[in-house]
Structure formats: structure tokens, C-alpha cells
Amino acid sequence: MMTEQIPTSLGEMIRAEIHRAGGLEFSRYMEHCLYHPQWGYYMQPRQRIGAQGDFFTSSSVHHLFGALIARQLFQMWQLLGEQPFTLVEQGAGEGHLALDILTALQQSAPACYARLCYQIIEISPDNRQRQAATLEPHADRVRWCCLEELEPFEGCFLSNELVDAFPVSLLEKKQGQLFQVYVVEKEGVLSEELRPATDEVKRHFQGLGVEPVEGNRAEVCLAVAPWMAQLAPRLRKGFMLTIDYGYPAAELYAPFRRDGTLMCYHRHQANDNPYQRIGEQDMTAHVDFTLLQQTGDRLGLRTLYFGEQYRFLIGLGFVEELMRLQAREPDEKRACALRMTLKNLIVPDGGMGETFKVLIQGKNVDAPALICARSIRDLPMPELI
Ligand SMILES: C[S@@+](CC[C@H](N)C(=O)[O-])C[C@H]1O[C@@H](n2cnc3c(N)ncnc32)[C@H](O)[C@@H]1O
């Protein structure tokens, strides 16, 4: 009798599954690479975010990002009648955003802080540990649970760079037909094979009303709709605030985007090869914001705001806060470093200002004027003379 060998690495485990199943659909491959319970990139003990990690997130750049978001959350709390407020953050990384939001509310809005429950949904045991350490000063406000255990709540569901980390399917359009990428092994090397796209993928694009054009490669995240369908009924009244890099579908699948948006990150180096450093590099794809909006519409989540991160932050007082922080910094070198750091949050090219988008959807909240929607024209300007 043949006994199956127990794999000792993610690569071995993936190869064994490829042989058993005759190939792995790409999203399944990506799921193993990122979330395999033992060897997945997000599941192992490892510094992922920040200078010593693989990538930066806005919340790891400066605490002002979280402090400005706290301002928007404070207004949401007021709009919901200053009642007990549950803030659910899914995919909280090392807990930086949570820390900055909680600290800002504690200092500037103690009544809101006192009524706040900060509920974290986090897939990675390593990140849960890191979050608990980071959030020690707010231990009595913070809870962890999984999405299935989340009780119906009033408040806000928040995520920053979560959806881009969901596994995606890879597609190619050839001779008028959509194909899906499967990972196979050829002569000992992981390679790709194109197979006709499933009906689910075809239905997805029919619903979206946009398709990748001939010769182009693109990604699709089929996990978004079921995820939102799980989440929406739990939000009785309130908001869903999603921050991530991405585009509306027409721009995401535009003809010029020939190779799609899938990227891998390792020690701050970007590459487009998902078949190297298996389980040792992050993999991500840009988010389809039309899909989030269309799915939300079906689930009673109405779009209240959609815009670039720079507009969102400026609406919340980025410029005024930058001036205040600068004024408090007597050392010109440090003031300059502060400007350079904060610039990353709003500059379009090479920064996080434009590709990053913010979507706010609301449920049972009418159409409130959110402060983040304050436009540049509304900013108080100093007198010229
Ligand atoms: C790129 S990090 C986001 C970092 C963080 N939001 C920040 O601002 O620094 C992605 C996070 O999402 C988590 N994650 C990915 N998929 C998840 C899921 N299905 N449920 C919960 N957490 C998830 C990862 O473990 C990680 O903490």
C-alpha cells in the first residue's frame, strides 16, 4: 500500500494538492499562500508592516491618519444619537489604526470613548497577539471575535487595506473568451494553465456590466459579495467605512491596464511573480469599488461618500492638523521630516493619496452630510493682507 507523504512546507503542500486535484484555481493558490493555518504569509510570526516589515500602511505612516478617521467616527456617533457605539474593524494588522482612533477619542471625545466597544475581527493569530500588545492601554474597550460570532450592532464597520488582501481569481480574455488561471506543475516548476472561465465568473461580469478587453489580464474577487452578505444583516444601523487602493470597475478593467494589478511585496520590494517565496511574500490586487457599491445597494447599504484618500483626509482637517503639528515642532529638520512623512498620505504619484479610495456606505441612516465630504473650497484660508 502506498502511503501519502506528509508535507513539510507550504510548497510541498501546494504541489501535493495540485497533483491530487489536477491543478489549483489561482484564488485557492493565493488563499494557501496568505492564509494556510501553518505556513500562510499572514499566519506565521513575522513583522509584516512598517520599516522592518514588507510594506507600509497609512496607519503605520503617522498617527494623524487614525486621528482624522476618529473625527469622522465621532460625527457618526453623534448622527446615531450618542448611544452605545460598536466599531468593528476587520483586518487590524498590528493594531496601529485602532490605537490611534481609540487614543484620539479618549483625549478629544471622552463621552464617545466611554460608550465605545472596539470589536476586532482578525484571521491571523500572530496579528491578534500583536494587536493585544499594541492595544494594552485600551484593553477594557477592545474585544476580538470572528465574523460569524459578530452580534447585530449599531455603529460602524471599518477596514483599511483588508479587501485587497482577499484572494482573487486571475483571468485572461483571448479570442473573445474569458479564461481563468490554474496553477499546475510542469517539469517541477509551478506554472499557469488557462481554462475556460466558470459560469460564476461570467455571471459576475454580466452583473458588473464591464469586462476585461481582448488580450488583457485581470483579477476578480468572488469573495466580496458573500463577505458583504454576511456582514450587512449584522449592521442594524450605521456605516461601513472601507479604505483601500482600487478603482471603479470601468477604470480597473480599462484597456490600458494590460497586466492587471496583482502584486507581491517582500521587504519593501514589489514584484509580479506570485510563484516565488511561497508564504514569504504578501500578495494583493486592487479593489473593485463598483462591486462594493453594487453589492451594498442590494443589501441596503447606500453609498454616502466615495472619493480619493487625499480628499477624505483634507475634508477631515488634514491641512489644519499639519499646520498645528508643524507649529509645535521647533526643530526645522524634524519639521521637514514631518512634512515629508505626512505628504505620503496625500500625494497622488508614489504616495497613498489618489489610488487609495474611501467608500462610506450607510444603512438606515438617511443621507447625512459627512464632514469628510467638506471640499477644499470650504477650508478656512488665512487672509492674504
Ligand atoms: C494589509 S493588512 C491591513 C493592516 C491594517 N488595517 C493597517 O491599517 O495597518 C491586512 C490585515 O487583514 C487581515 N485579514 C486578511 N483577511 C482577513 C479575513 N478574512 N478576516 C480577518 N482578517 C483578515 C490580515 O491578517 C491583516 O491583519
Side-chain angles (χ1 to χ4, degrees), residues 47 52 100 117 162 166 197 263 278 382:
Q47 171 106 43
Q52 307 304 317
D100 297 338
C117 170
L162 166 73
F166 285 174
M263 288 303 285
I278 299 174

Side-chain angles (χ1 to χ4, degrees), residues 14-274:
I14 285 174
R15 283 179 157 82
E17 194 170 321
I18 287 175
H19 292 151
R20 261 198 318 276
L24 271 188
E25 200 276 327
F26 187 84
S27 63
R28 174 96 178 133
Y29 170 76
M30 182 166 168
E31 191 179 338
H32 283 320
C33 291
L34 296 182
Y35 306 113
H36 181 277
Q38 191 176 355
W39 296 300
Y41 171 78
Y42 277 103
M43 310 304 264
Q44 304 172 58
R46 172 190 185 96
Q47 171 106 43
R48 285 166 283 265
I49 303 176
Q52 307 304 317
D54 299 309
F55 54 87
F56 289 104
T57 60
S58 298
S59 59
S60 66
V61 169
H62 198 275
H63 64 78
L64 181 57
F65 181 71
L68 292 174
I69 292 175
R71 230 172 236 182
Q72 183 52 77
L73 294 167
F74 175 68
Q75 187 204 18
M76 290 173 176
W77 174 70
Q78 290 178 316
L79 289 166
L80 295 182
E82 307 194 358
Q83 299 297 311
F85 188 89
T86 302
L87 179 53
V88 180
E89 186 187 357
Q90 186 170 359
E94 301 195 357
H96 294 124
L97 182 57
L99 177 69
D100 297 338
I101 288 172
L102 284 160
T103 305
L105 290 176
Q106 186 180 38
Q107 287 170 358
S108 309
C112 172
Y113 181 81
R115 313 214 89 184
L116 182 71
C117 170
Y118 204 111
Q119 184 84 51
I120 296 181
I121 298 173
E122 173 55 60
I123 198 171
S124 156
D126 181 54
N127 275 349
R128 282 199 297 272
Q129 269 188 17
R130 289 167 189 267
Q131 291 156 12
T134 307
L135 296 170
E136 182 60 38
H138 301 284
D140 60 337
R141 301 282 102 205
V142 187
R143 306 269 177 284
W144 283 261
C145 75
C146 59
L147 188 49
E148 294 73 21
E149 291 166 355
L150 183 66
E151 295 289 336
F153 68 99
E154 292 191 7
C156 180
F157 184 93
L158 165 72
S159 69
N160 180 42
E161 294 197 43
L162 166 73
V163 185
D164 72 79
F166 285 174
V168 291
S169 297
L170 286 186
L171 308 169
E172 249 180 71
K173 182 108 175 247
K174 281 190 160 179
Q175 290 161 347
Q177 266 207 64
L178 265 185
F179 289 89
Q180 225 164 312
V181 169
Y182 280 71
V183 184
V184 294
E185 193 177 12
K186 285 185 188 146
E187 293 167 6
V189 179
L190 292 184
S191 357
E192 296 184 346
E193 197 171 280
L194 293 182
R195 301 184 188 170
T198 59
D199 289 343
E200 191 185 5
V201 168
K202 290 183 198 155
R203 274 198 304 275
H204 172 88
F205 283 107
Q206 277 158 13
L208 205 59
V210 186
E211 241 193 40
V213 303
E214 184 68 26
N216 277 14
R217 184 167 265 227
E219 303 84 25
V220 61
C221 184
L222 296 173
V224 163
W227 166 68
M228 286 183 78
Q230 251 190 320
L231 200 161
R234 291 177 159 86
L235 178 63
R236 273 202 298 254
K237 186 177 178 187
F239 305 88
M240 179 166 176
L241 199 175
T242 309
I243 308 173
D244 220 316
Y245 37 91
Y247 306 100
E251 220 182 318
L252 183 64
Y253 298 114
F256 66 83
R257 221 177 291 287
R258 299 201 62 79
D259 301 317
T261 64
L262 186 85
M263 288 303 285
C264 308
Y265 293 90
H266 179 81
R267 303 275 172 250
H268 298 281
Q269 298 290 316
N271 74 80
D272 59 2
N273 182 358

